[in-house]
């Protein structure tokens, strides 16, 4: 295995060789270049995939390994440049496979990869290499995407933005603040422009919290729209993967590549006849005109700066032609949702992690009890930075004690409470004839790392999307007075991704508030020449 510390494949100096010297064309800052921009540059010959990978590796070297040491990357793919060169040759001889041909993608390290370890960020799975790719990872490779590397996360996708193998990930906007979890590495890496696209997973807000905290776009898709095969499970009733990027366009183009029915994941049958393979066709700059948008004011009031950004966002929507309607969720739902979530999430992990661990070799733990036992043997930091993770490992014990999947406490919530929550949300949307409900993705600005809670913000609405299985699109909305990003969620009914993309894109084009974090600025000569 190429280690976290030894796998720096490029230096900044390696990039400063003859980039994009086309004086007759315009240039776009690297962090602002969309996949559409990259494809124009590829077509014009002002950019190659090899050069693009070198750009990404230079930023990892400058900001993850050195400088602020964001610590988002667990490992880089040692064959990334070789793959890029092969895809450049294929583009010349056969043309591109898809819009993602030659585009680097970073993966949260709970997606299986046949050629790199998949650890869940845990020393307990260190060096484990799965026999094949996760379904969506294979779809990406088949589309010509380059898997650039694996990213740090909250260990086993739960707890704070810290793992026993990868350590603490920092927020590139403020190194003292949390990047949120559990897709912490993806949020920080994409914000810092380590790659155009990243994958996260979301069980209780784990794509959306990091998207908001790091000031990027992210999608928690409808449950069943993306296969979970080959993803380390946290709770399959809620689990989903999802794309994260710096623009709505890039999230849309990535999603279209990864949808499809997977015989290994029965949940994808729900998407039959409902998924698209090109979501970019739904992007409309004027989609807010005539739209009816509900504002969930139940989730305002926790942070005056966040509230101000939300009110400003609503005013932007009104100016774009939208009608804004105040909506409220029942108090019993707001009060009960954390308990509903825990009643399903904890026992499912205890049962389902053993199914995943069964495929690992004899050196690895095989169930929740063995995870607990082996965690007790890790008592101090290692020279490379790996070490104990008490917050996550103590949660193992709570998961082990949470009951079986035939327990009435679990079944009553899964079979009765979750359908009830879905009915409430569908009722609100229908009664007010809403195209979407919006709310602050995180009700408060990103907290200091030392003060970060081990679970999602209970004052936020993010877990309602998991309890219902409905989609939630996060778009940057603005910044607080201390220059921290605030995200807005566009939440809708099942398989409403086309509508959410249209609304989110319209809002993004009207506001354009995303920016490169202050701790990971543009590197010299990093721009893309677009004809």
């Amino acid at each position: 295995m190429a280690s976290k510390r030894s796998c720096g494949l490029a230096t900044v100096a390696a990039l400063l060789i003859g980039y994009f010297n086309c004086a007759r064309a315009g240039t776009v800052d690297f962090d602002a270049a969309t996949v559409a921009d990259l494809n124009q540059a590829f077509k014009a010959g002002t950019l190659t995939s090899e050069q693009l990978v070198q750009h990404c590796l230079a930023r990892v070297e400058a900001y993850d390994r050195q400088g602020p040491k964001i610590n988002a990357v667990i490992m880089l793919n040692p064959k990334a440049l070789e793959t890029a060169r092969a895809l450049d040759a294929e583009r010349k001889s056969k043309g591109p496979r898809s819009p993602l041909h030659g585009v680097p993608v970073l993966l949260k390290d709970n997606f299986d990869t046949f050629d790199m370890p998949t650890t869940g960020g845990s020393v307990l799975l260190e060096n484990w290499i799965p026999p094949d790719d996760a379904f969506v990872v294979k779809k990406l490779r088949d589309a010509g995407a380059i898997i650039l590397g694996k990213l740090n996360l909250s260990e086993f996708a739960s707890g704070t933005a810290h793992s026993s193998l990868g350590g603490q990930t920092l927020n590139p906007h403020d190194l003292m603040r949390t990047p949120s979890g559990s897709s912490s590495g993806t949020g920080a890496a994409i914000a810092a422009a380590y790659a155009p696209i990243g994958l996260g997973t979301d069980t209780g807000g784990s794509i959306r919290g990091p998207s908001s905290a790091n000031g990027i776009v992210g999608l928690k898709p409808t449950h069943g729209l993306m296969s979970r095969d080959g993803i380390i499970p946290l709770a399959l009733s809620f689990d989903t993967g999802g794309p994260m990027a710096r623009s709505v366009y890039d999230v849309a183009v990535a999603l279209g590549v990864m949808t499809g029915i997977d015989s290994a994941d029965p949940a994808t049958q729900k998407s039959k006849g409902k998924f698209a393979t090109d979501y970019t066709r739904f992007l409309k700059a004027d989609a807010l005109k005539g739209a009816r948008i509900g504002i969930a004011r139940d989730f305002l009031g926790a942070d005056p700066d966040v509230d101000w950004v939300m009110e400003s966002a609503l005013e932007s929507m009104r100016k774009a032609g939208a009608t804004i309607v105040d909506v409220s969720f029942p108090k019993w739902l707001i009060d009960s949702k954390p308990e509903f979530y825990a009643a399903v999430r904890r026992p499912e992990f205890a049962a389902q992690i053993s199914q995943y661990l069964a495929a690992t070799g004899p050196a690895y733990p095989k169930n929740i009890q063995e995870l607990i036992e082996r965690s007790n043997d890790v008592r101090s930091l290692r020279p490379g930075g790996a070490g104990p993770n008490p917050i996550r490992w103590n949660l193992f014990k709570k998961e082990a004690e949470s009951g079986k999947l035939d327990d009435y406490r679990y079944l009553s919530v899964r079979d009765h409470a979750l359908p009830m929550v879905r009915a409430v949300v569908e009722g609100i949307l229908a009664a007010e004839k809403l195209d979407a409900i919006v709310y602050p993705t995180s009700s408060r600005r990103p907290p200091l790392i030392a003060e970060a809670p081990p679970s999602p913000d209970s004052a936020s609405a993010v877990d309602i999307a998991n309890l219902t299985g409905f989609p939630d699109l996060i778009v940057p909305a603005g910044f607080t007075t201390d220059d921290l990003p605030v995200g807005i969620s566009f939440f809708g009914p099942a398989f409403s991704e086309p509508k959410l993309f249209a609304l989110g894109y319209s809002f993004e084009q009207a506001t354009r508030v995303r920016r490169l974090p202050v701790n990971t600025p543009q590197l010299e000569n990093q721009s893309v020449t677009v004809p």
Side-chain angles (χ1 to χ4, degrees):
M1 169 184 172
S3 72
K4 177 177 172 66
R5 302 307 176 195
S6 66
C7 201
L9 300 184
T11 64
V12 179
L15 295 194
L16 308 181
I17 304 174
Y19 273 174
F20 317 131
N21 294 319
C22 185
R24 58 186 172 80
T27 60
V28 178
D29 286 348
F30 179 62
D31 74 287
T34 66
V35 168
D37 294 326
L38 298 177
N39 276 295
Q40 287 186 55
F42 287 149
K43 186 176 181 179
T46 59
L47 176 67
T48 66
S49 177
E50 181 179 2
Q51 290 169 331
L52 179 59
V53 169
Q54 287 174 328
H55 258 315
C56 295
L57 293 174
R59 295 191 66 81
V60 173
E61 180 69 19
Y63 298 129
D64 218 64
R65 308 299 194 226
Q66 302 177 35
K69 296 186 177 179
I70 300 300
N71 203 35
V73 179
I74 284 184
M75 77 165 297
L76 292 169
N77 183 353
K79 294 186 177 180
L81 283 169
E82 175 186 332
T83 302
R85 286 189 286 268
L87 287 165
D88 282 334
E90 182 180 321
R91 180 185 293 275
K92 287 182 179 179
S93 62
K94 299 179 181 178
R97 303 183 195 178
S98 82
L100 293 189
H101 186 108
V103 175
V105 177
L106 285 163
L107 307 178
K108 184 177 181 179
D109 195 24
N110 57 351
F111 286 85
D112 281 358
T113 45
F114 79 92
D115 54 350
M116 288 179 284
T118 299
T119 69
S122 182
V123 294
L124 306 176
L125 289 183
E126 190 171 15
N127 298 329
W128 154 243
I129 299 180
D132 53 20
D133 282 336
F135 179 86
V136 295
V137 175
K138 185 177 187 301
K139 295 271 280 186
L140 287 167
R141 292 203 216 241
D142 289 347
I146 299 166
I147 305 306
L148 186 66
K150 307 294 287 288
L151 297 171
N152 203 8
L153 66 156
S154 305
E155 188 161 348
F156 285 104
S158 189
T160 58
H162 183 277
S163 72
S164 61
L165 186 62
Q168 176 69 49
T169 299
L170 307 181
N171 188 321
H173 289 276
D174 183 338
L175 304 180
M176 300 300 291
R177 302 273 174 174
T178 178
S180 189
S182 66
S183 305
S184 48
T186 313
I190 298 306
Y194 292 175
I197 293 168
L199 289 195
T201 59
D202 196 307
T203 306
S206 290
I207 285 172
R208 292 159 294 153
S211 294
S212 180
N214 295 281
I216 62 170
V217 181
L219 175 72
K220 180 259 171 208
T222 302
H223 191 265
L225 186 60
M226 281 179 56
S227 171
R228 288 98 30 96
D229 177 59
I231 302 174
I232 300 175
L234 183 60
L236 291 175
S237 290
F238 302 147
D239 287 350
T240 181
M244 300 164 72
R246 291 182 296 281
S247 67
V248 175
Y249 179 93
D250 286 1
V251 168
V253 76
L255 180 66
V257 165
M258 295 185 287
T259 55
I261 308 300
D262 178 11
S263 60
D265 183 359
T268 59
Q269 291 295 329
K270 295 186 292 185
S271 73
K272 190 173 183 179
K274 299 176 181 177
F275 71 85
T277 56
D278 178 12
Y279 285 92
T280 63
R281 62 192 175 95
F282 301 110
L283 305 182
K284 299 177 181 179
D286 63 350
L288 283 167
K289 187 176 182 179
R292 282 180 63 84
I293 306 293
I295 169 61
R297 293 195 176 276
D298 303 296
F299 306 102
L300 296 172
D303 185 324
D305 278 28
V306 171
D307 292 354
W308 185 89
V309 170
M310 284 298 298
E311 296 297 348
S312 175
L314 296 175
E315 188 57 31
S316 295
M317 292 185 213
R318 290 188 187 98
K319 288 180 180 178
T323 298
I324 307 299
V325 181
D326 285 4
V327 298
S328 293
F329 287 87
K331 187 176 184 301
W332 63 260
L333 193 159
I334 295 172
D335 292 343
S336 302
K337 64 184 181 64
E339 292 188 31
F340 289 165
Y341 176 76
V344 173
R345 213 290 282 151
R346 290 182 181 181
E348 285 201 358
F349 178 78
Q352 294 162 0
I353 191 61
S354 62
Q355 298 167 16
Y356 181 87
L357 294 174
T360 63
Y364 296 99
K366 293 293 179 282
N367 53 52
I368 188 77
Q369 291 300 333
E370 291 187 11
L371 288 173
I372 293 170
E373 291 168 9
R374 299 200 187 190
S375 69
N376 289 330
D377 295 331
V378 183
R379 301 182 183 89
S380 63
L381 286 173
R382 299 191 321 210
N389 188 8
I391 289 177
R392 182 61 183 101
W393 292 351
N394 280 325
L395 185 53
F396 284 160
K397 298 173 184 177
K398 295 179 180 178
E399 291 160 341
E401 296 165 357
S402 62
K404 306 286 187 182
L405 297 190
D406 58 0
D407 190 300
Y408 75 92
R409 295 170 293 179
Y410 169 76
L411 292 174
S412 61
V413 173
R414 188 196 68 179
D415 297 344
H416 301 287
L418 299 189
M420 184 168 58
V421 174
R422 283 193 293 273
V424 167
V425 175
E426 289 170 339
I428 293 171
L429 289 161
E432 298 291 347
K433 297 181 174 59
L434 299 176
D435 293 293
I437 294 171
V438 298
Y439 66 92
T441 310
S442 298
S443 296
R444 302 178 179 89
R445 73 195 74 194
L448 295 169
I449 289 171
E451 300 171 358
S455 58
D457 180 1
S458 62
S460 173
V462 290
D463 48 3
I464 295 177
N466 301 103
L467 297 175
T468 58
F470 294 169
D472 201 4
L473 175 70
I474 285 63
V475 182
F479 288 81
T480 63
T481 50
D482 46 353
D483 212 28
L484 297 170
V486 176
I488 185 170
S489 284
F490 290 81
F491 176 49
F495 301 106
S496 64
E497 280 84 357
K499 173 65 72 173
L500 299 185
F501 276 134
L503 296 172
Y505 180 76
S506 183
F507 175 77
E508 175 192 58
Q509 297 306 300
T511 55
R512 295 181 180 272
V513 297
R514 187 208 64 84
R515 62 173 177 255
L516 195 61
V518 294
N519 291 294
T520 56
Q522 186 86 350
L523 292 176
E524 185 179 355
N525 292 337
Q526 282 209 327
S527 59
V528 177
T529 298
V530 180

